[in-house]
Amino acid sequence: MSLSFEKFERIKNAVHQPLNWDDYNSTAVIEDTNCLSHAFGSTVTSAIEAYRLGSLSGKKKLKDGYFSKDEVKNLFYADAESVELKIEEIPFENLSTFLKYISEIKLAENQHIVALFVKVYGREEYISDFHFLRFDKGKGWTEKRRPLRITFIEDISRDWPSAWNDKLIGVFKVTR
């Protein structure tokens, strides 16, 4: 299934609006959005096929797997560019240094931070999926898993990463 022009335009428009956190109470948003839609700031439903890295940019078919961490990162950049989001990578040395940086960062109203992870298995670190965590000033760290409600992370130093098999790809400032 490919993404229609109408759905793409709805998503592109949505990511350039302030996120309405109340939208996450809707059953449709709970069931039809995931971590990528949350990372970009879209609560557009009936477009789950768009919320897979590489889909918005048309660079990855839904059925195709991911073959490297670099590919996942490049697909993130391509998808963000396709909906005209600006992505800036933030240097990451270690979690404590990064959390200090986050506590001092001055984010504009149209900016937030995302951390991109891949889920890996086996010694070869086969990539089975991706996951995002999101940071907004005034809200803190959140994550969205499909088909679950948004989760507010109380202690990011304890819950980073949010799963044992998540490997960090990078941390990014997103500007709409």
Side-chain angles (χ1 to χ4, degrees):
M1 178 190 305
S2 66
L3 184 64
S4 72
F5 177 77
E6 177 190 51
K7 286 182 185 178
F8 176 83
E9 287 297 312
R10 285 179 48 221
I11 292 168
K12 185 177 173 182
N13 182 54
V15 302
H16 288 281
Q17 306 305 315
L19 189 59
N20 182 352
W21 293 86
D22 290 335
D23 287 350
Y24 285 104
N25 294 323
S26 157
T27 301
V29 172
I30 292 167
E31 294 178 357
D32 283 354
T33 61
N34 66 2
C35 63
L36 176 58
S37 61
H38 185 53
F40 280 180
S42 173
T43 56
V44 172
T45 59
S46 301
I48 193 61
E49 69 274 15
Y51 300 139
R52 184 170 190 282
L53 282 173
S55 183
L56 286 170
S57 60
K59 295 190 178 290
K60 195 76 167 175
K61 294 180 181 174
L62 289 176
K63 61 183 170 105
D64 293 344
Y66 301 109
F67 60 84
S68 74
K69 294 174 184 175
D70 284 339
E71 178 202 29
V72 169
K73 185 177 184 178
N74 290 335
L75 290 171
F76 170 60
Y77 275 109
D79 284 354
E81 183 179 315
S82 75
V83 292
E84 299 175 4
L85 291 174
K86 181 182 174 198
I87 304 296
E88 178 184 334
E89 189 161 8
I90 298 170
F92 186 94
E93 294 176 31
N94 59 56
L95 184 58
S96 61
T97 302
F98 173 68
L99 293 179
K100 182 177 183 329
Y101 170 82
I102 288 293
S103 71
E104 298 169 353
I105 193 171
K106 302 281 190 244
L107 291 174
E109 288 294 316
N110 65 337
Q111 296 176 323
H112 61 276
I113 305 293
V114 297
L116 170 58
F117 299 87
V118 289
K119 296 191 164 300
V120 298
Y121 293 94
R123 278 188 273 237
E124 297 82 26
E125 293 198 340
Y126 164 77
I127 298 172
S128 67
D129 204 358
F130 61 88
H131 190 60
F132 286 94
L133 299 179
R134 176 176 169 146
F135 176 82
D136 292 86
K137 282 287 189 185
K139 290 288 185 185
W141 287 96
T142 54
E143 70 178 333
K144 172 67 175 87
R145 295 181 188 271
R146 180 177 181 255
L148 303 173
R149 292 185 175 277
I150 193 169
T151 302
F152 289 86
I153 301 170
E154 293 178 25
D155 184 357
I156 193 65
S157 62
R158 179 192 69 210
D159 295 328
W160 180 288
S162 62
W164 65 271
N165 59 335
D166 286 353
K167 302 293 182 197
L168 182 67
I169 298 297
V171 183
F172 309 88
K173 180 168 49 173
V174 178
T175 304
R176 54 179 161 80

